[in-house]
Amino acid sequence: AVLTSVWRRGLPAEAQVEDQEPALRAGDTRRMGFALLCECPKTLARPLAGTSLAWLLQGFALGGLSPQITHGAGDSISAGGAAAATLLGTLIAVPLYTMIFARCRRRFCQLVSFIVLAIGFAGFAAVAYLTRQPVLAIVISTALHTVNAAGVAPSVYLVPAEVFPTCVRAACLGISAAFGFVGASLGRAALPLISDSAAGLPAALLVTALAACVGALGTMFMTPSYHPRLVQDVSPLRPGKDVRVCTLERLERGVAFRECPNCEVMVERDGGCNLVTCSNCSERWCFACGGKSCGTWACSNVESGEPNLESLPRLLWPRPSLPQQHSRSTPLVEHCDA
């Protein structure tokens, strides 16, 4: 780096500016991942909150399905029996997901799964409070594991992998997964404490049912209803181009000669930035647009002209078009005096 700096100091000013042009072209590609999330938080806030909340509550629900919780629902259910219910539910979930859930839209699958989990945990709490029958408890536990493994668990992975553009997909998926680990840790720590308290196991299961209800509400309001064509439109979205990159592209597409806006003498640009000085009248102006208020590598009259990341909310949640109201026009009647 030191040798490069010394070598660049010995170059003429024009050559130093020309040497910066590849960096200007590559500058837009470095605006990726977490840095881009910090740059445009409002654009990504709603979908990221939806995927993070869903993953958080799905992880919390896993705490309600842990063996130390489920084996207390029946008097004769051992920890091995609860683990067998977990394994059986997971095995049933594989063909169920292949035949049913894989063919449904992600949002519908996630919403229905959260609703079923809420109803199932509420029923599980009733069984633990009223009957404590081991067979019924094992059946409900197996069904809950099946719904979780076939519905909620795949959807919390797939939704953030499809609704975010490629430039921020890995960062958003990582943040959502981190919330999932936080939810799993909270569930495994808090639910056994509630179960061992005076409230007992039914209270822990009701808390898990409440978490599933919140997950269903979050899915309704913060998860978009999308289709494969929308995924194709969202994936290539890029961050809005930097003004320097747009200025450079406009210079490359433009002509090599341009009239001076002051004295109308033809001026040639042979390199450097967008600002040139006329040798005839010493007027300084922008070679990209001919204006006099532009800065170095910052033409004020350029636009990217392509869909960018700012259009993501509009694509995910399109506003319904208002029906056009057609007003009846009254024909004009001319009165003529006879």
Side-chain angles (χ1 to χ4, degrees):
V2 175
L3 293 177
T4 304
S5 177
V6 173
W7 175 75
R8 285 177 52 81
R9 289 178 184 176
L11 293 176
E14 295 81 1
Q16 292 185 21
V17 175
E18 290 178 359
D19 190 54
Q20 293 176 0
E21 293 185 3
L24 293 177
R25 296 189 186 94
D28 189 58
T29 62
R30 290 194 292 266
R31 301 162 62 208
M32 305 284 283
F34 188 74
L36 191 55
L37 286 175
C38 298
E39 182 178 334
C40 45
K42 294 182 179 180
T43 302
L44 301 166
R46 185 177 177 183
L48 183 58
T51 56
S52 300
L53 179 63
W55 216 321
L56 174 73
L57 297 174
Q58 188 268 341
F60 189 86
L62 282 179
L65 294 173
S66 60
Q68 60 266 34
I69 296 294
T70 55
H71 85 274
D75 292 330
S76 60
I77 298 180
S78 62
T86 303
L87 179 60
L88 180 60
T90 306
L91 293 177
I92 297 175
V94 175
L96 181 65
Y97 174 79
T98 305
M99 293 184 296
I100 300 177
F101 287 99
R103 302 181 181 182
C104 300
R105 291 193 176 183
R106 314 295 188 201
R107 181 179 181 272
F108 176 79
C109 175
Q110 182 171 298
L111 178 62
V112 172
S113 299
F114 268 126
I115 293 175
V116 173
L117 283 180
I119 297 174
F121 276 114
F124 208 173
V127 170
Y129 181 74
L130 298 175
T131 63
R132 302 184 69 85
Q133 295 181 2
V135 176
L136 185 57
I138 288 179
V139 171
I140 296 178
S141 177
T142 303
L144 289 175
H145 277 288
T146 302
V147 173
N148 177 73
V152 181
S155 65
V156 296
Y157 279 92
L158 295 174
V159 170
E162 293 177 343
V163 301
F164 293 108
T166 307
C167 57
V168 294
R169 181 172 297 166
C172 294
L173 188 61
I175 293 174
S176 302
F179 274 92
F181 286 112
V182 171
S185 300
L186 290 176
R188 293 182 180 276
L191 293 177
L193 294 177
I194 299 175
S195 178
D196 296 336
S197 66
L201 177 63
L205 294 174
L206 287 177
V207 170
T208 311
L210 179 61
C213 290
V214 176
L217 292 175
T219 302
M220 290 178 60
F221 294 105
M222 289 188 291
T223 300
S225 180
Y226 60 94
H227 46 82
R229 179 59 185 273
L230 180 61
V231 175
Q232 297 177 4
D233 296 336
V234 166
S235 295
L237 292 181
R238 310 294 295 176
K241 285 188 177 181
D242 188 77
V243 65
R244 301 178 302 169
V245 178
C246 296
T247 301
L248 178 60
E249 291 180 352
R250 183 161 182 175
L251 288 173
E252 291 179 343
R253 293 194 303 263
V255 295
F257 294 89
R258 188 183 291 273
E259 285 187 355
C260 174
N262 186 42
C263 65
E264 299 182 354
V265 172
M266 296 299 295
V267 178
E268 178 185 10
R269 174 183 174 271
D270 59 355
C273 67
N274 57 309
L275 297 181
V276 297
T277 302
C278 178
S279 59
N280 184 51
C281 64
S282 300
E283 182 73 18
R284 187 174 176 84
W285 47 280
C286 177
F287 199 84
C289 66
K292 301 179 181 180
S293 60
C294 303
T296 304
W297 292 115
C299 178
S300 58
N301 296 311
V302 294
E303 297 179 356
S304 60
E306 58 184 16
N308 54 43
L309 196 58
E310 299 297 331
S311 60
L312 179 63
R314 176 177 55 81
L315 292 175
L316 295 181
W317 290 279
R319 295 182 179 180
S321 57
L322 297 177
Q324 297 181 356
Q325 297 180 355
H326 300 281
S327 59
R328 296 180 178 179
S329 59
T330 305
L332 296 177
V333 180
E334 295 183 358
H335 299 277
C336 300
D337 295 334

